[in-house]
Amino acid sequence: MLLSQIIRPDGSLAVVVRAGSEAAILRGTASTYDLALEAATTRRPVAAIIAERGMGAAVDLPSLLAEGRVTLPITHPDPTHMHLTGTGLTHLGSASARDAMHAKLDGAENLTDSMKMFRLGLEGGRPAPGTPGAQPEWFYKGNGTTAIGPGQPLTMPAFAEDGGEEPELAGIYIIAPDGTPCRLGWALANEFSDHITERFNYLWLAHSKLREASFGPEILVGDLPADVQGMSRIRRDGAVIWEKPFLSGEANMSHSMANLEHHHFKYDLFRRPGDVHVHMFGTATLSFADGIATQPGDLFEIEAPPFGLPLKNPLARAPAPGAAIVAVHAL
């Protein structure tokens, strides 16, 4: 089952449920957030609530996506209560690209910090059920104000050195009234980072991640396939300039999903009732690692069959601000 949100002609939201090629509006539901919050509050399966409410008018979701009427598959009434976060060095094979970016000059016998972190995951990222494993790398990207809908531009700041795609899977969560994290499902995501800034010094990773991100267009409700195989590509002026398969799912990861979820939600800050979390789980495929320099106007495309419609976003650059620096006004 796949969930998405569309914009009605009057500007309000409607929730769309899709099974196979058949998609229809869910009756009596103002938003995916409302649906998820009811499921989290009552501990009822989302599928049961959907079956109870029933389906309304059928919709042509690909046509609506082309018209720009498919928006983020979940939003929060207050965007500052949606958290965009992620974890890296989680995928088998992902460390090689990161290690090349962070390579030290003092000989192969000395592991980079990236390789040390990757080794921690290999050795302790899959603990026994009910026990914590090794901590992964973790980063913060922003909140709902930096969540970009399918088809909308991912905009790098004027000061950015690079704007590069990162094809990932994201877990979509809502926090129940009693503080329990509840997973609604899984979605494609473009984690979108500044890899040149990150390459200069890994301590600038936080700066490189403070960028917009996109996810959707649909949320897969249910179990995540163990072996996810997708495709990431970049188009320039309509032509494909780079294309590469990507792998995800636990069969291709050094950490279990349960361990990654634990190390995010172990913080009280991330268990505030009503908050939404979009937590991205890392990647092993980057065009930057293959020497691609993106340009404004390039189109990022990420697709994987279990997750429904592909995620597409053009790249844009923000105009330079009028002032050279941001000056703080003293009160």
Side-chain angles (χ1 to χ4, degrees):
M1 177 187 296
L2 295 161
L3 298 178
S4 58
Q5 291 191 130
I6 63 170
I7 303 171
R8 298 179 188 266
D10 65 1
S12 64
L13 293 175
V15 177
V16 173
V17 179
R18 185 158 76 92
S21 61
E22 303 297 319
I25 292 175
L26 179 61
R27 290 194 177 110
T29 308
S31 67
T32 310
Y33 178 81
D34 288 352
L35 173 66
L37 186 59
E38 178 173 340
T41 301
T42 62
R43 294 296 199 276
R44 297 179 63 202
V46 170
I49 298 174
I50 289 173
E52 182 179 272
R53 295 184 181 182
M55 308 309 299
V59 297
D60 182 345
L61 205 56
S63 294
L64 292 173
L65 181 61
E67 294 171 14
R69 291 180 54 196
V70 176
T71 186
L72 290 166
I74 189 169
T75 49
H76 194 289
D78 179 353
T80 61
H81 285 275
M82 173 186 280
H83 304 270
L84 303 182
T85 55
T87 186
L89 297 173
T90 54
H91 284 63
L92 303 173
S94 65
S96 58
R98 181 72 70 82
D99 195 48
M101 291 165 58
H102 297 172
K104 295 179 179 178
L105 302 178
D106 53 358
E109 68 276 5
N110 294 321
L111 291 178
T112 65
D113 289 330
S114 295
M115 291 303 294
K116 291 176 183 177
M117 183 67 70
F118 184 67
R119 176 181 283 180
L120 281 175
L122 287 174
E123 295 174 347
R126 293 178 174 272
T131 60
Q135 288 190 123
E137 176 189 60
W138 183 95
F139 54 82
Y140 173 75
K141 287 198 64 67
N143 57 35
T145 64
T146 55
I148 303 302
Q152 300 305 305
L154 287 165
T155 302
M156 53 181 173
F159 57 78
E161 299 288 341
D162 171 55
E165 88 300 333
E166 293 208 20
E168 306 197 10
L169 299 184
I172 312 298
Y173 307 87
I174 191 166
I175 310 302
D178 66 358
T180 300
C182 298
R183 187 194 318 111
L184 175 60
W186 313 88
L188 295 175
N190 189 335
E191 196 253 292
F192 189 60
S193 302
D194 186 336
H195 300 110
I196 293 178
T197 292
E198 178 185 340
R199 182 179 62 183
F200 181 81
N201 189 306
Y202 77 96
L203 293 177
W204 280 359
L205 176 71
H207 289 283
S208 78
K209 297 298 186 182
L210 284 174
R211 300 290 187 268
E212 297 175 338
S214 187
F215 64 96
E218 299 178 88
I219 295 172
L220 173 67
V221 178
D223 295 334
L224 178 70
D227 181 20
V228 174
Q229 301 185 30
M231 186 67 70
S232 180
R233 68 178 62 88
I234 301 175
R235 295 184 189 271
R236 181 174 295 164
D237 299 325
V240 175
I241 64 165
W242 178 85
E243 183 177 61
K244 200 167 189 177
F246 70 90
L247 300 176
S248 193
E250 283 196 346
N252 302 298
M253 297 174 69
S254 54
H255 289 260
S256 66
M257 288 296 187
N259 189 53
L260 298 176
E261 290 175 330
H262 161 71
H263 283 295
H264 178 66
F265 289 111
K266 68 184 181 184
Y267 295 100
D268 292 343
L269 172 65
F270 296 142
R271 300 196 306 273
R272 300 294 173 88
D275 281 6
V276 169
H277 291 255
V278 179
H279 191 60
M280 290 158 267
F281 288 106
T283 188
T285 303
L286 303 172
S287 66
F288 181 81
D290 290 338
I292 299 296
T294 59
Q295 300 176 7
D298 288 351
L299 180 67
F300 301 129
E301 298 181 1
I302 301 170
E303 60 185 9
F307 301 90
L309 297 173
L311 177 62
K312 301 181 182 182
N313 300 93
L315 174 63
R317 179 184 283 276
I325 64 170
V326 176
V328 174
H329 177 74
L331 299 178

